[in-house]
mmCIF file of all heavy atoms in Angstrom:
data_model
loop_
_atom_site.group_PDB
_atom_site.id
_atom_site.type_symbol
_atom_site.label_atom_id
_atom_site.label_comp_id
_atom_site.label_asym_id
_atom_site.label_seq_id
_atom_site.Cartn_x
_atom_site.Cartn_y
_atom_site.Cartn_z
ATOM 1 N N GLY A 585 -55.601 36.252 7.238
ATOM 2 C CA GLY A 585 -56.252 34.933 7.063
ATOM 3 C C GLY A 585 -55.254 33.999 6.424
ATOM 4 O O GLY A 585 -54.215 33.709 6.958
ATOM 5 N N SER A 586 -55.607 33.466 5.234
ATOM 6 C CA SER A 586 -54.672 32.606 4.538
ATOM 7 C C SER A 586 -54.163 33.275 3.272
ATOM 8 O O SER A 586 -53.769 32.612 2.322
ATOM 9 C CB SER A 586 -55.322 31.276 4.212
ATOM 10 O OG SER A 586 -56.379 31.487 3.316
ATOM 11 N N THR A 587 -54.210 34.587 3.278
ATOM 12 C CA THR A 587 -53.683 35.312 2.125
ATOM 13 C C THR A 587 -52.406 36.011 2.521
ATOM 14 O O THR A 587 -52.366 36.715 3.539
ATOM 15 C CB THR A 587 -54.684 36.356 1.638
ATOM 16 O OG1 THR A 587 -55.922 35.674 1.322
ATOM 17 C CG2 THR A 587 -54.187 37.074 0.404
ATOM 18 N N VAL A 588 -51.395 35.863 1.693
ATOM 19 C CA VAL A 588 -50.150 36.535 1.920
ATOM 20 C C VAL A 588 -50.081 37.727 0.995
ATOM 21 O O VAL A 588 -50.240 37.584 -0.231
ATOM 22 C CB VAL A 588 -48.954 35.600 1.680
ATOM 23 C CG1 VAL A 588 -47.621 36.344 1.704
ATOM 24 C CG2 VAL A 588 -48.957 34.467 2.720
ATOM 25 N N VAL A 589 -49.867 38.903 1.560
ATOM 26 C CA VAL A 589 -49.816 40.108 0.713
ATOM 27 C C VAL A 589 -48.362 40.528 0.557
ATOM 28 O O VAL A 589 -47.609 40.688 1.493
ATOM 29 C CB VAL A 589 -50.597 41.254 1.403
ATOM 30 C CG1 VAL A 589 -50.621 42.495 0.498
ATOM 31 C CG2 VAL A 589 -52.018 40.804 1.750
ATOM 32 N N LEU A 590 -47.963 40.714 -0.733
ATOM 33 C CA LEU A 590 -46.606 41.124 -1.017
ATOM 34 C C LEU A 590 -46.623 42.480 -1.698
ATOM 35 O O LEU A 590 -47.650 42.923 -2.237
ATOM 36 C CB LEU A 590 -45.969 40.113 -1.984
ATOM 37 C CG LEU A 590 -46.011 38.653 -1.506
ATOM 38 C CD1 LEU A 590 -45.673 37.744 -2.651
ATOM 39 C CD2 LEU A 590 -45.018 38.477 -0.360
ATOM 40 N N GLU A 591 -45.469 43.141 -1.656
ATOM 41 C CA GLU A 591 -45.376 44.466 -2.259
ATOM 42 C C GLU A 591 -44.161 44.543 -3.136
ATOM 43 O O GLU A 591 -43.065 44.153 -2.716
ATOM 44 C CB GLU A 591 -45.285 45.496 -1.138
ATOM 45 C CG GLU A 591 -45.229 46.930 -1.641
ATOM 46 C CD GLU A 591 -44.921 47.886 -0.510
ATOM 47 O OE1 GLU A 591 -43.970 47.640 0.253
ATOM 48 O OE2 GLU A 591 -45.624 48.883 -0.355
ATOM 49 N N ASN A 592 -44.314 45.077 -4.303
ATOM 50 C CA ASN A 592 -43.149 45.234 -5.192
ATOM 51 C C ASN A 592 -42.298 46.386 -4.665
ATOM 52 O O ASN A 592 -42.820 47.468 -4.389
ATOM 53 C CB ASN A 592 -43.641 45.543 -6.623
ATOM 54 C CG ASN A 592 -42.485 45.617 -7.600
ATOM 55 O OD1 ASN A 592 -41.570 46.451 -7.453
ATOM 56 N ND2 ASN A 592 -42.505 44.750 -8.593
ATOM 57 N N VAL A 593 -41.013 46.138 -4.480
ATOM 58 C CA VAL A 593 -40.175 47.169 -3.812
ATOM 59 C C VAL A 593 -39.905 48.390 -4.691
ATOM 60 O O VAL A 593 -39.484 49.424 -4.200
ATOM 61 C CB VAL A 593 -38.823 46.589 -3.308
ATOM 62 C CG1 VAL A 593 -39.067 45.501 -2.303
ATOM 63 C CG2 VAL A 593 -37.971 46.109 -4.447
ATOM 64 N N VAL A 594 -40.164 48.273 -5.958
ATOM 65 C CA VAL A 594 -39.936 49.413 -6.850
ATOM 66 C C VAL A 594 -41.248 50.198 -7.065
ATOM 67 O O VAL A 594 -41.339 51.384 -6.805
ATOM 68 C CB VAL A 594 -39.375 48.943 -8.219
ATOM 69 C CG1 VAL A 594 -39.207 50.141 -9.126
ATOM 70 C CG2 VAL A 594 -38.092 48.209 -8.009
ATOM 71 N N THR A 595 -42.271 49.433 -7.478
ATOM 72 C CA THR A 595 -43.545 50.118 -7.820
ATOM 73 C C THR A 595 -44.543 50.178 -6.681
ATOM 74 O O THR A 595 -45.536 50.844 -6.764
ATOM 75 C CB THR A 595 -44.243 49.360 -8.971
ATOM 76 O OG1 THR A 595 -44.563 48.037 -8.483
ATOM 77 C CG2 THR A 595 -43.339 49.238 -10.178
ATOM 78 N N HIS A 596 -44.231 49.444 -5.612
ATOM 79 C CA HIS A 596 -45.128 49.333 -4.441
ATOM 80 C C HIS A 596 -46.451 48.758 -4.784
ATOM 81 O O HIS A 596 -47.425 48.848 -3.984
ATOM 82 C CB HIS A 596 -45.285 50.728 -3.773
ATOM 83 C CG HIS A 596 -43.987 51.271 -3.358
ATOM 84 N ND1 HIS A 596 -43.228 50.728 -2.343
ATOM 85 C CD2 HIS A 596 -43.249 52.279 -3.867
ATOM 86 C CE1 HIS A 596 -42.106 51.418 -2.236
ATOM 87 N NE2 HIS A 596 -42.075 52.357 -3.148
ATOM 88 N N GLU A 597 -46.553 48.116 -5.941
ATOM 89 C CA GLU A 597 -47.779 47.425 -6.278
ATOM 90 C C GLU A 597 -47.948 46.226 -5.361
ATOM 91 O O GLU A 597 -46.975 45.528 -5.068
ATOM 92 C CB GLU A 597 -47.599 46.899 -7.693
ATOM 93 C CG GLU A 597 -48.687 47.299 -8.670
ATOM 94 C CD GLU A 597 -48.373 46.737 -10.017
ATOM 95 O OE1 GLU A 597 -47.621 47.416 -10.756
ATOM 96 O OE2 GLU A 597 -48.839 45.606 -10.321
ATOM 97 N N GLU A 598 -49.178 45.984 -4.992
ATOM 98 C CA GLU A 598 -49.437 44.826 -4.102
ATOM 99 C C GLU A 598 -49.774 43.609 -4.944
ATOM 100 O O GLU A 598 -50.399 43.726 -5.997
ATOM 101 C CB GLU A 598 -50.617 45.100 -3.195
ATOM 102 C CG GLU A 598 -50.183 45.742 -1.889
ATOM 103 C CD GLU A 598 -51.362 45.879 -0.946
ATOM 104 O OE1 GLU A 598 -52.413 45.209 -1.173
ATOM 105 O OE2 GLU A 598 -51.262 46.674 0.005
ATOM 106 N N SER A 599 -49.365 42.454 -4.446
ATOM 107 C CA SER A 599 -49.866 41.222 -5.059
ATOM 108 C C SER A 599 -50.249 40.296 -3.898
ATOM 109 O O SER A 599 -49.746 40.400 -2.800
ATOM 110 C CB SER A 599 -48.820 40.586 -5.965
ATOM 111 O OG SER A 599 -47.660 40.302 -5.245
ATOM 112 N N ARG A 600 -51.174 39.389 -4.205
ATOM 113 C CA ARG A 600 -51.651 38.504 -3.153
ATOM 114 C C ARG A 600 -51.521 37.062 -3.564
ATOM 115 O O ARG A 600 -51.724 36.695 -4.705
ATOM 116 C CB ARG A 600 -53.130 38.760 -2.851
ATOM 117 C CG ARG A 600 -53.492 40.209 -2.718
ATOM 118 C CD ARG A 600 -54.997 40.334 -2.619
ATOM 119 N NE ARG A 600 -55.380 40.643 -1.252
ATOM 120 C CZ ARG A 600 -55.211 41.811 -0.660
ATOM 121 N NH1 ARG A 600 -54.673 42.818 -1.312
ATOM 122 N NH2 ARG A 600 -55.560 41.992 0.586
ATOM 123 N N ILE A 601 -51.183 36.255 -2.606
ATOM 124 C CA ILE A 601 -51.186 34.791 -2.822
ATOM 125 C C ILE A 601 -52.240 34.214 -1.884
ATOM 126 O O ILE A 601 -52.142 34.371 -0.676
ATOM 127 C CB ILE A 601 -49.832 34.164 -2.555
ATOM 128 C CG1 ILE A 601 -48.730 34.921 -3.335
ATOM 129 C CG2 ILE A 601 -49.810 32.692 -2.939
ATOM 130 C CD1 ILE A 601 -47.328 34.370 -3.077
ATOM 131 N N GLU A 602 -53.241 33.518 -2.494
ATOM 132 C CA GLU A 602 -54.348 33.021 -1.685
ATOM 133 C C GLU A 602 -54.103 31.601 -1.196
ATOM 134 O O GLU A 602 -53.294 30.865 -1.761
ATOM 135 C CB GLU A 602 -55.606 33.020 -2.554
ATOM 136 C CG GLU A 602 -55.869 34.283 -3.311
ATOM 137 C CD GLU A 602 -56.469 35.381 -2.453
ATOM 138 O OE1 GLU A 602 -56.920 35.061 -1.334
ATOM 139 O OE2 GLU A 602 -56.432 36.530 -2.881
ATOM 140 N N ASN A 603 -54.894 31.231 -0.178
ATOM 141 C CA ASN A 603 -54.894 29.825 0.288
ATOM 142 C C ASN A 603 -53.540 29.300 0.730
ATOM 143 O O ASN A 603 -53.166 28.150 0.452
ATOM 144 C CB ASN A 603 -55.484 28.897 -0.777
ATOM 145 C CG ASN A 603 -56.882 29.264 -1.124
ATOM 146 O OD1 ASN A 603 -57.658 29.634 -0.229
ATOM 147 N ND2 ASN A 603 -57.205 29.257 -2.393
ATOM 148 N N VAL A 604 -52.800 30.190 1.330
ATOM 149 C CA VAL A 604 -51.481 29.782 1.770
ATOM 150 C C VAL A 604 -51.628 29.090 3.122
ATOM 151 O O VAL A 604 -52.391 29.531 3.990
ATOM 152 C CB VAL A 604 -50.540 30.988 1.918
ATOM 153 C CG1 VAL A 604 -49.198 30.573 2.454
ATOM 154 C CG2 VAL A 604 -50.390 31.687 0.556
ATOM 155 N N ASP A 605 -50.955 27.976 3.334
ATOM 156 C CA ASP A 605 -51.036 27.356 4.671
ATOM 157 C C ASP A 605 -49.747 27.499 5.474
ATOM 158 O O ASP A 605 -49.775 27.396 6.702
ATOM 159 C CB ASP A 605 -51.438 25.866 4.570
ATOM 160 C CG ASP A 605 -50.585 25.059 3.600
ATOM 161 O OD1 ASP A 605 -49.377 25.392 3.441
ATOM 162 O OD2 ASP A 605 -51.096 24.132 2.996
ATOM 163 N N THR A 606 -48.644 27.784 4.777
ATOM 164 C CA THR A 606 -47.370 27.898 5.521
ATOM 165 C C THR A 606 -46.610 29.102 5.053
ATOM 166 O O THR A 606 -46.512 29.358 3.840
ATOM 167 C CB THR A 606 -46.504 26.645 5.290
ATOM 168 O OG1 THR A 606 -47.318 25.492 5.231
ATOM 169 C CG2 THR A 606 -45.467 26.504 6.365
#
Side-chain angles (χ1 to χ4, degrees):
Chain A
S586 64
T587 303
V588 170
V589 183
L590 306 166
E591 182 190 48
N592 185 300
V593 299
V594 178
T595 63
H596 302 292
E597 234 179 274
E598 269 186 18
S599 59
R600 314 173 105 75
I601 308 179
E602 312 281 346
N603 300 320
V604 176
D605 52 31
T606 322

